[in-house]
Amino acid sequence: MYRRFGEVDAAETSPLYERVAVALSESDEALRAIETAPARKRHPTVILAALHDLALAGRAPELAAAYAAADGDAAADAAIDTLLRMTDSVVAIAVRRRMRTNETGRCAVLYPAIAEAARRVGADAVGLIDVGCSAGLNLNVDRVGIKYSNGQSLGDPSSPVQLSSSIVGDRPVPTRAMPEVVARIGVDLDPIDVTDADDARWLRACLWPDQPDQPERTARLEAEMALAATAPALLMQGDAVEVLPDAFARVPADALPVVTTTWALSDLPLESRLRFLHRLDEAAAGRAVAWVSVEGVGVAPTIPTLGDRRASGHSIIGLAVFDGPALRAEAVGRCWSRGRLLAWLANSTTP
């Protein structure tokens, strides 16, 4: 697994991780240390992020120096040495933490879909509930600036967080502004608090140290965390099916609750996804509820697949409106590369 990760997954984008992963694969001692972690926590991305976390914390200075110098041989030696000296610490971090990608392209997809949901319901205010929220960065979707490759723009052009997305096809995204956001609620099994130094460092540790766009990604993450810290969201810990009723109760009665899921349902069995859908239906007994989903083809229940094949390499952008006994579910677009490419499909005049 480590050899394949180095020679295939990391080879094109991270010479450091390529060299480190291959070196770990060739060290019997290192592999024995990794095997002390639970099986689900032995993946290279998790162990490498745990090592990176120790380097960023100043607990593995030689590894930090090798990463800073982009010295693959030195990084390989330092990674093995750190792993062997601090096996318990590496494993403890791996066990406690979950990988976080926080791809910022999500906002470019979410903004037009949330605004469209509000238009269809006639809502003047929305309450955002992000399921699988990680650090809750998606909850600031209205506070970032977004530029599309066709010249369109959404959001706040003066925001310190500026994102971009390429439009696929000739249909533009709707450019109506999102109404006022009156609640920002995140639901996660292990939410990340960007105001906590350890949590914020873990987000940094999940970035690969030498990817070609690493400086830009690091700067963007820092800006997003700083923006989120200025108006911290309410982060609720627990299983979404159990927590959602309480989350809905936190949204003011005169606002439209908009639940968002971005690649959050694929790890759940179908039964859990259907229970999640049932929770949305229950909440709609008293008022309209919207669900914006960005999931792999066939993952989000009730969202049409447009005839696309599963595991086809792109995701479906779904919009479902629950209004009493009525449910209107539509596929409003497709996206690739975690939102960096977007094809809008819906007719924005649909009632």
Side-chain angles (χ1 to χ4, degrees), residues 142-156:
D142 60 314
R143 303 176 67 206
V144 306
I146 308 166
K147 293 183 179 179
Y148 298 93
S149 60
N150 63 355
Q152 293 182 283
S153 61
L154 289 171
D156 181 1

Side-chain angles (χ1 to χ4, degrees), residues 16 63 80 145 151 155 194 212 279 296 304 308 316 329 338-339:
L16 280 178
L63 182 59
I80 292 174
V194 297
R279 278 286 190 249
D308 300 345
I316 300 289
R338 298 287 177 173

Side-chain angles (χ1 to χ4, degrees), residues 111-151:
Y111 192 114
I114 294 170
E116 178 67 11
R119 185 194 70 81
R120 293 186 182 190
V121 176
D124 296 323
V126 297
L128 303 180
I129 303 173
D130 189 29
V131 172
C133 68
S134 182
L137 302 183
N138 289 344
L139 293 167
N140 288 300
V141 58
D142 60 314
R143 303 176 67 206
V144 306
I146 308 166
K147 293 183 179 179
Y148 298 93
S149 60
N150 63 355

Side-chain angles (χ1 to χ4, degrees), residues 113-121 123 126-129 244 248 255-261 276 280-281 283-284 287-293 318-323 327-328:
I114 294 170
E116 178 67 11
R119 185 194 70 81
R120 293 186 182 190
V121 176
V126 297
L128 303 180
I129 303 173
L244 270 176
F248 281 119
L256 170 69
V258 181
V259 177
T260 59
T261 63
F276 167 80
L280 301 182
D281 190 49
R287 58 175 169 178
V289 170
W291 171 34
V292 172
S293 61
L319 173 55
V321 176
F322 301 76
D323 195 357
L327 167 62
R328 291 169 287 166

Side-chain angles (χ1 to χ4, degrees), residues 143-301:
R143 303 176 67 206
V144 306
I146 308 166
K147 293 183 179 179
Y148 298 93
S149 60
N150 63 355
Q152 293 182 283
S153 61
L154 289 171
D156 181 1
S158 65
S159 172
V161 179
Q162 295 294 318
L163 312 176
S164 62
S165 181
S166 296
I167 296 295
V168 177
D170 56 5
R171 177 165 289 184
V173 298
T175 54
R176 66 181 50 83
M178 191 182 303
E180 181 185 7
V181 177
V182 296
R184 305 176 196 272
I185 303 165
V187 178
D188 199 284
L189 291 172
D190 181 25
I192 294 286
D193 179 1
V194 297
T195 65
D196 179 87
D198 290 344
D199 280 2
R201 187 179 63 247
W202 176 247
L203 289 183
R204 299 182 184 103
C206 289
L207 296 179
W208 294 12
D210 67 328
Q211 287 184 304
D213 61 347
Q214 190 267 347
E216 293 81 6
R217 294 184 69 187
T218 298
R220 191 164 55 232
L221 176 61
E222 296 295 338
E224 286 192 297
M225 290 196 295
L227 182 65
T230 63
L234 172 63
L235 301 179
M236 305 178 70
Q237 183 172 13
D239 176 85
V241 173
E242 304 303 325
V243 173
L244 270 176
D246 191 18
F248 281 119
R250 306 296 183 99
V251 177
D254 58 350
L256 170 69
V258 181
V259 177
T260 59
T261 63
T262 53
W263 302 284
L265 301 183
S266 57
D267 291 335
L268 301 180
L270 178 59
E271 179 185 1
S272 296
R273 283 179 267 153
L274 293 175
R275 290 175 62 216
F276 167 80
L277 193 70
H278 182 61
R279 278 286 190 249
L280 301 182
D281 190 49
E282 286 180 332
R287 58 175 169 178
V289 170
W291 171 34
V292 172
S293 61
V294 188
E295 305 284 352
V297 177
V299 171

